[in-house]
Amino acid sequence: MNDFLAARSQMALSLGFHIVFSCIGMVMPFFMAVAHYYWLKTGNDVYKNVTKAWSKGVAIFFATGAVSGTVLSFELGLLWPNFMKHAGPIFGMPFSLEGTAFFIEAIALGFFLYGWGRFNKWFHWFTGVIVGVSGLVSGILVVAANAWMNSPAGFDYINGEYVNIDPIKAMFNDAWFSQALHMCLAAFAATGFAVAGVHALMIVRKSHVQFHTKAFRIAAIFAAVAAILQPLSGDISAKDVAKRQPAKLAAMEAHFHTGKKVPLIIGGIPDESTQTVKYAMELPGLLSFMIAEDFNAEVKGLDSIPKEDHPPVAITHYAFQVMVGMGMIMMLAGVLYLIGLWRKKRWLESNWLLRFFVICTPLGFIAVEAGWTVTEVGRQPWIIHGIMRTADAVTPMPGINYSFYLFTAVYMSLAVIVTFMLYRQIKMVGKLYDITPASHLTTH
């Protein structure tokens, strides 16, 4: 493995782990706040215990997310010094503001965790809301920085120099809204289905059913709404990508030849040497319609883009297909659940629906990982789209492959430790929060 590939692999590994912690850290506080609100309004101690149980998970993921996010920040400077030298002054503002949001989140989480019985009950609840809001803002600011890499703005590039820098325009670039919206909905869907799936499994196993039913319903509603809205944000993102990054769209769809009435491809194995896609299902004219709302609209193919600017087609296409496939399954689960809430109440207690949610437990995070693969691989060979190539930004320092191996070992160990802690937390729920009609246990 050469140093360039090792540097890219290390960033991919770090981002792949961090994005899971980030999504949960952005979303779980809102679940926690809803459960807490229900307890304050109803006095039902089940909701209090759900809140306390979830807050422990939030603390675990906040700690691991803080560490992995810090590592990512250092890696940007260590692995891509030429990128940070030029880009840092331009898109540094969202990173600075993200640091402020992170500090607010940390303070609010401390207040919440140690505020039981010490603060006014509504102020205590409000600190939990602040944890969620600041975490969400933090995620949006980081996505804005990534969006700038896809849609550079806020400067003039003249004779190899970056001049007339405007950090506000850089932060609010053309891609920030579509990427932030898509990422936020993805975080709610992924975390919602993961949390709902765990509680659904406990219900199916008849373990502390009252506790897990309350928790499941909160997470499932968030998950269902996010999964149903996600295709709308995906449509906005696709139209945006078609306009700004036609090479990425062409790779996503394995679209080799510019033309009109372009079909939407489902599945398939792209062959870059022959510029064909084998074993694909084609829906005539649908890609043209989705991009331009016209079945006869022209869509640029890879043949209209210089070959040296082509992203890796196979990886981008497969990742996009996985993302969309997982999203469709989750949307189906969401629709079924909302129908159950609205018209078919008996579905809510049926094993088939609960088992469907159990199956959906990992799908959201698989879709998130695939989506980030599309975003990052689909931008190649550019680290700043159209301005700086990734190969020109990498550090000249040798031995990056050893760093990659070390970080792989560290992250694998971290994954095992976090999995063990969460498994232990789930197993302890019954002991700490034994919710039965006879016990009425409210504290541990």
Side-chain angles (χ1 to χ4, degrees), residues 155-164:
F155 66 97
D156 293 322
Y157 187 63
I158 302 174
N159 297 326
E161 297 292 330
Y162 300 78
V163 297
N164 302 326

Side-chain angles (χ1 to χ4, degrees), residues 271-300:
D271 186 337
E272 294 183 62
S273 61
T274 61
Q275 297 190 340
T276 57
V277 182
K278 301 177 181 177
Y279 314 116
M281 179 187 299
E282 296 187 358
L283 304 178
L286 191 54
L287 181 60
S288 292
F289 179 79
M290 293 175 66
I291 297 304
E293 298 181 359
D294 179 359
F295 284 101
N296 293 310
E298 182 178 272
V299 180
K300 286 186 177 180

Side-chain angles (χ1 to χ4, degrees), residues 54-394:
W54 278 348
S55 68
K56 295 180 183 297
V58 169
I60 292 171
F61 281 105
F62 178 83
T64 51
V67 173
S68 60
T70 302
V71 170
L72 269 173
S73 299
F74 281 115
E75 285 179 340
L76 280 173
L78 294 173
L79 298 178
W80 313 100
N82 292 331
F83 167 70
M84 291 304 296
K85 175 183 176 181
H86 298 290
I90 304 172
F91 80 145
M93 178 173 284
F95 275 131
S96 299
L97 295 176
E98 189 274 338
T100 303
F102 172 78
F103 287 132
I104 294 173
E105 182 183 7
I107 294 169
L109 181 60
F111 280 1
F112 185 84
L113 292 175
Y114 297 102
W116 290 98
R118 295 181 176 87
F119 297 141
N120 172 277
K121 63 180 183 179
W122 286 107
F123 175 76
H124 184 219
W125 171 80
F126 182 69
T127 61
V129 175
I130 292 298
V131 174
V133 171
S134 56
L136 192 63
V137 169
S138 178
I140 290 172
L141 289 168
V142 171
V143 171
N146 179 266
W148 179 84
M149 297 164 69
N150 289 310
S151 180
F155 66 97
D156 293 322
Y157 187 63
I158 302 174
N159 297 326
E161 297 292 330
Y162 300 78
V163 297
N164 302 326
I165 294 173
D166 185 338
I168 299 296
K169 288 184 178 179
M171 184 166 64
F172 296 108
N173 55 79
D174 290 341
W176 85 270
F177 175 76
S178 61
Q179 281 198 211
L181 176 64
H182 200 60
M183 184 66 239
C184 289
L185 288 174
F188 273 94
T191 305
F193 275 104
V195 174
V198 170
H199 291 293
L201 179 61
M202 296 297 106
I203 296 170
V204 170
R205 291 180 175 179
K206 308 299 182 184
S207 173
H208 310 285
V209 173
Q210 189 181 8
F211 175 91
H212 289 294
T213 297
K214 299 293 187 186
F216 170 78
R217 290 191 176 182
I218 293 172
I221 290 173
F222 274 102
V225 173
I228 291 170
L229 292 177
Q230 187 69 308
L232 301 177
S233 76
D235 180 65
I236 294 172
S237 295
K239 287 181 170 64
D240 181 64
V241 168
K243 179 180 178 181
R244 294 181 300 94
Q245 296 176 289
K248 178 184 286 188
L249 179 73
M252 288 161 55
E253 299 290 349
H255 177 47
F256 291 101
H257 305 289
T258 302
K260 297 181 179 180
K261 202 174 183 179
V262 177
L264 179 69
I265 291 178
I266 299 176
I269 301 175
D271 186 337
E272 294 183 62
S273 61
T274 61
Q275 297 190 340
T276 57
V277 182
K278 301 177 181 177
Y279 314 116
M281 179 187 299
E282 296 187 358
L283 304 178
L286 191 54
L287 181 60
S288 292
F289 179 79
M290 293 175 66
I291 297 304
E293 298 181 359
D294 179 359
F295 284 101
N296 293 310
E298 182 178 272
V299 180
K300 286 186 177 180
L302 289 168
D303 60 354
S304 66
I305 298 163
K307 192 169 184 179
E308 63 270 18
D309 294 340
H310 287 191
V313 176
I315 295 175
T316 308
H317 177 69
Y318 294 145
F320 180 68
Q321 294 291 307
V322 168
M323 179 186 70
V324 173
M326 299 299 101
M328 291 297 101
I329 296 172
M330 290 187 292
M331 185 175 70
L332 175 60
V335 169
L336 292 174
Y337 186 75
L338 293 184
I339 291 174
L341 283 178
W342 182 39
R343 298 292 297 269
K344 303 287 186 180
K345 299 294 184 182
R346 66 181 184 276
W347 287 7
L348 302 180
E349 298 178 0
S350 61
N351 270 353
W352 68 265
L353 185 59
L354 292 170
R355 292 182 187 278
F356 193 5
F357 269 83
V358 173
I359 293 171
C360 289
T361 301
L363 300 190
F365 285 110
I366 294 173
V368 167
E369 298 288 2
W372 274 102
T373 300
V374 172
T375 298
E376 297 303 296
V377 176
R379 187 177 60 245
Q380 300 308 313
W382 306 101
I383 192 169
I384 307 176
H385 180 66
I387 303 293
M388 177 184 288
R389 291 181 180 271
T390 309
D392 296 331
V394 70

